[in-house]
Amino acid sequence: MTTLAVIDWQSLITRDMIIPALRVALLLGIGLPAVIITAALVGRATAKRLSAQSAMLARKAVLYFGIIVIFVAVFQQTGYKLTALIGAAGIAGIAIGFASQTSLSNIISGIFLISEKPFQVGDIIKVGETKGTILSIDLLSVKLRTFDNQFVRMPNETLIKEKVTNITRFPIRRVDLNIGVAYKEDPKKVRDVLLDIADKNSNCLDEPEPLFRFVNFGDSALEFLFAVWCVKSDYLKLSTEMMLEIKERFDAEGIEIPFPHRTLYTGSATGPLPIRLVDSQDKQISKSESSQL
Amino acid sequence: MHPELYNQHKVEPEQYLSAQIGPLELWIRHTGDEFHVAVKRNAHSENVIETSHPEPVKDTPDACLSWSRWVVGQNFDTMQLLPVMPDRPVVVRPATPVSIPTGNEALFFVAVPIWVDISVFGPAKVTLLQAPSVVLSDTWFGDPMTGELCYSMRTRARRKVSDSPVRPHRVLCPVLIRNTTTEQLDVERFCVHIQNLTVYAGQSRLWTNEVRISFRGENETSQVKYVESAPEYEHIDRLLSNPRAPQKKTLLQRSFSTFRLFGGEGE
């Protein structure tokens, strides 16, 4: 206690120390908020002219560059030699690089993704089993929001390696409907009914024209592909509407949608399979017979 | 055309007004600081030509009507209906394809279903709703990557005004197509950016200003000129509504498309 009391603080804090300290305080107190505000302004200004992804990149570039400049200036004010720091950072960088190969791979993949632009913020993509809307494309990962409102972080490396489907890249989409009708139905009538349904639905685009294709003589049904086009935002609505309208019209027109069924026969050598109708009395008899056996 | 249909009308508090423009029936109610609007569209009777200007109805409208509400504030007691052009271009497909030889031109009268703008007036004008008289089917004009969403219209592409029936919910748009190429132009479909057109009230029907399209070659942009004055095929009483999207007098737009989407399931 006595030792502290005798320390001459005024002799320790010299004028040479106060001025750099004030400069550091100014740099951190004014410079950092200024950089954050500038980055936000750049983000806002570029949002109108560039895509959401490019605006985000511009904002982050300004922010990170500004922060680096301020910290370099702070180090200079505090008397640290930057050459030594950079040298140390280089050695540390090699060490960290070996230790974080995955992260570096993600960063490089991220740079490729940003330059190649296979998708942008707001697009709906499908990667493997995951489907969702892109929230952000960052240096290490892409963030998605799935349709059941889950957050998915997908490493950039995965996106470079895997097949990525951008569902909303183009403005229109095709709704494919696989339809089966009973063998007794007239395929031409089915085609006319389907085309009429598409014609009457205002969300179904007249052009490109709907596609009707006789796909196969299936096990239980004549199988068709009926494909109609819509604006990408109407995809779910149109696919549901078409299914409902097809069922309704097929019922009205008497067109049977068959369920899978199987016909058993014993071949031409024998007659039809013998069938014996069994009533409840017979059942009791047969039970008693079987019990005696 | 009903003379008072597109005038301003007073709406008393707690009063129902009803109007009809062809297949489109409208109900408007003013209560407190709110306006309520119900729209009923006769989808299967496009040929309905009955028209009635907004007038009070004694009976409460059908309970199955679907109403929308707007809180506009006090001192709004006047409403007006106005015909406006649809909000997207239309792709006109003549029922029978028409060919125009080199150097020739052809004038077509395209009858486009109007949208009805319902506005109320007080300290300011408030647009409540714009309702299509006929819901047109969507279509895509151009290729699937860079084309544009339009409405689809199958038409007889009539050449004479007298051949075109007078319908209260349709506006007649004169389109002059000029073939300036050295090849014959087969008009299977053409795109008209009707949002750029003005609506006029003629003596018997609604009109737009004339559109002149110069075909300059397959897959080339056409020179499109929107004539600024009213059409001269009938006496024009007054201008009813300005273009949704005012454009330059002359511009280059893609108006003809021969794009076909090939392929099937996966091809």
Side-chain angles (χ1 to χ4, degrees):
Chain A
M1 289 295 284
T2 47
T3 316
L4 277 174
V6 294
I7 289 172
D8 185 3
W9 288 101
Q10 281 187 339
S11 63
L12 282 175
I13 304 169
T14 61
R15 183 184 168 81
D16 293 342
M17 290 174 74
I18 290 170
I19 292 171
L22 279 173
R23 282 180 183 158
V24 167
L26 282 173
L27 278 167
L28 293 175
I30 298 172
L32 271 181
V35 165
I36 292 165
I37 291 166
T38 309
L41 288 174
V42 167
R44 199 178 294 175
T46 50
K48 290 174 186 170
R49 295 175 189 173
L50 305 174
S51 65
Q53 174 60 23
S54 303
M56 189 177 72
L57 279 176
R59 182 173 56 80
K60 285 188 176 176
V62 170
L63 183 70
Y64 294 145
F65 181 74
I67 288 171
I68 289 167
V69 168
I70 284 176
F71 274 98
V72 167
V74 167
F75 278 122
Q76 276 183 335
Q77 290 302 321
T78 49
Y80 281 102
K81 287 185 180 176
L82 281 176
T83 45
L85 188 72
I86 290 165
I91 294 160
I94 293 165
I96 292 165
F98 276 114
S100 58
Q101 281 182 25
T102 312
S103 300
L104 282 174
S105 169
N106 279 324
I107 289 170
I108 292 162
S109 303
I111 292 165
F112 283 135
L113 283 178
I114 288 163
S115 59
E116 193 186 342
K117 289 184 184 169
F119 42 72
Q120 55 186 349
V121 173
D123 280 349
I124 296 171
I125 62 165
K126 184 184 173 192
V127 186
E129 295 294 310
T130 310
K131 196 189 278 186
T133 309
I134 296 175
L135 298 175
S136 70
I137 305 167
D138 298 323
L139 274 179
L140 285 172
S141 63
V142 167
K143 276 89 176 180
L144 298 180
R145 188 182 71 83
T146 62
F147 296 118
D148 55 351
N149 214 26
Q150 291 182 343
F151 179 85
V152 179
R153 180 190 175 276
M154 201 161 280
N156 287 338
E157 194 184 358
T158 311
L159 290 160
I160 288 287
K161 285 178 181 170
E162 294 265 322
K163 185 180 103 176
V164 179
T165 308
N166 188 337
I167 294 167
T168 52
R169 177 67 170 263
F170 300 129
I172 55 174
R173 286 185 70 186
R174 199 176 78 175
V175 180
D176 287 357
L177 304 165
N178 295 303
I179 296 158
V181 301
Y183 266 86
K184 67 181 172 67
E185 305 299 345
D186 177 7
K188 288 178 185 168
K189 184 185 174 188
V190 174
R191 180 191 61 193
D192 293 345
V193 168
L194 290 173
L195 291 174
D196 188 53
I197 292 167
D199 188 50
K200 285 180 176 156
N201 190 314
S202 60
N203 292 317
C204 176
L205 297 179
D206 285 12
E207 286 183 338
E209 289 175 352
L211 170 79
F212 175 85
R213 189 173 161 219
F214 196 148
V215 179
N216 193 21
F217 294 100
D219 291 343
S220 309
L222 300 174
E223 293 171 0
F224 305 101
L225 169 74
F226 188 57
V228 292
W229 289 83
C230 66
V231 180
K232 62 186 177 187
S233 57
D234 288 343
Y235 184 84
L236 282 177
K237 184 183 168 195
L238 183 68
S239 57
T240 308
E241 278 179 3
M242 288 297 291
M243 293 292 239
L244 291 170
E245 285 165 21
I246 287 169
K247 176 72 174 77
E248 199 174 299
R249 276 292 296 277
F250 275 16
D251 287 351
E253 300 278 345
I255 297 171
E256 184 188 342
I257 301 173
F259 50 85
H261 53 263
R262 181 163 294 172
T263 307
L264 295 174
Y265 73 104
T266 56
S268 58
T270 66
L273 286 172
I275 297 171
R276 185 164 65 97
L277 292 175
V278 179
D279 60 15
S280 56
Q281 199 176 359
D282 287 336
K283 273 183 185 173
Q284 285 174 352
I285 292 166
S286 60
K287 272 185 182 175
S288 60
E289 282 172 353
S290 60
S291 62
Q292 284 172 4
L293 288 169
Chain B
M1 196 170 65
H2 202 288
E4 293 180 33
L5 178 60
Y6 297 120
N7 291 345
Q8 290 193 353
H9 297 270
K10 196 99 172 161
V11 194
E12 300 298 336
E14 305 305 322
Q15 186 182 50
Y16 285 102
L17 292 190
S18 168
Q20 184 173 0
I21 305 166
L24 184 72
E25 292 177 68
L26 302 164
W27 286 267
I28 297 116
R29 188 186 180 209
H30 180 203
T31 174
D33 60 351
E34 290 187 17
F35 272 86
H36 301 179
V37 176
V39 176
K40 187 179 169 189
R41 207 173 284 106
N42 197 334
H44 302 293
S45 301
E46 229 259 282
N47 293 323
V48 175
I49 56 165
E50 278 80 28
T51 311
S52 64
H53 67 84
E55 53 191 356
V57 284
K58 289 175 187 171
D59 302 327
T60 309
D62 199 343
C64 64
L65 284 174
S66 175
W67 291 87
S68 303
R69 296 165 56 188
W70 285 264
V71 181
V72 293
Q74 302 296 335
N75 303 322
F76 281 81
D77 58 355
T78 310
M79 59 81 56
Q80 186 179 25
L81 304 179
L82 275 179
V84 291
M85 297 304 285
D87 61 347
R88 292 205 292 259
V90 289
V91 174
V92 181
R93 292 198 289 170
T96 312
V98 187
S99 295
I100 304 173
T102 305
N104 278 27
E105 61 183 29
L107 179 66
F108 299 99
F109 292 97
V110 181
V112 181
I114 55 163
W115 284 31
V116 177
D117 175 290
I118 306 162
S119 297
V120 290
F121 296 85
K125 178 188 172 187
V126 176
T127 298
L128 304 183
L129 179 70
Q130 291 192 337
S133 59
V134 175
V135 177
L136 295 173
S137 181
D138 290 345
T139 193
W140 194 254
F141 187 74
D143 74 72
M145 291 178 285
T146 58
E148 67 180 319
L149 184 63
C150 301
Y151 292 118
S152 173
M153 269 184 59
R154 291 190 181 93
T155 170
R156 294 188 186 170
R158 290 184 171 88
R159 307 285 319 286
K160 290 179 188 169
V161 177
S162 55
D163 290 345
S164 189
V166 177
R167 290 185 189 149
H169 64 287
R170 290 200 177 245
V171 54
L172 217 54
C173 173
V175 181
L176 182 79
I177 298 177
R178 190 175 289 147
N179 182 4
T180 61
T181 65
T182 54
E183 293 172 4
Q184 177 174 286
L185 166 63
D186 298 319
V187 184
E188 288 179 15
R189 64 176 75 69
F190 57 93
C191 180
V192 185
H193 288 75
I194 52 174
Q195 330 87 286
N196 307 144
L197 299 175
T198 307
V199 181
Y200 298 93
Q203 267 186 327
S204 64
R205 62 174 98 215
L206 298 171
W207 287 90
T208 69
N209 45 330
E210 191 171 309
V211 185
R212 292 175 185 161
I213 303 172
S214 293
F215 176 66
R216 308 193 312 166
E218 206 169 275
N219 296 321
E220 293 289 327
T221 51
S222 303
Q223 189 179 54
V224 182
K225 183 180 180 185
Y226 299 97
V227 177
E228 285 185 325
S229 55
E232 296 170 350
Y233 305 98
E234 189 181 54
H235 175 74
I236 298 296
D237 287 336
R238 59 177 168 148
L239 185 153
L240 286 174
S241 63
N242 287 310
R244 282 178 182 273
Q247 287 285 348
K248 290 177 190 168
K249 197 173 153 188
T250 306
L251 67 161
L252 297 175
Q253 283 175 332
R254 189 165 288 279
S255 300
F256 298 91
S257 172
T258 51
F259 181 82
R260 287 281 187 283
L261 198 70
F262 295 105
E265 194 176 4
E267 297 95 317

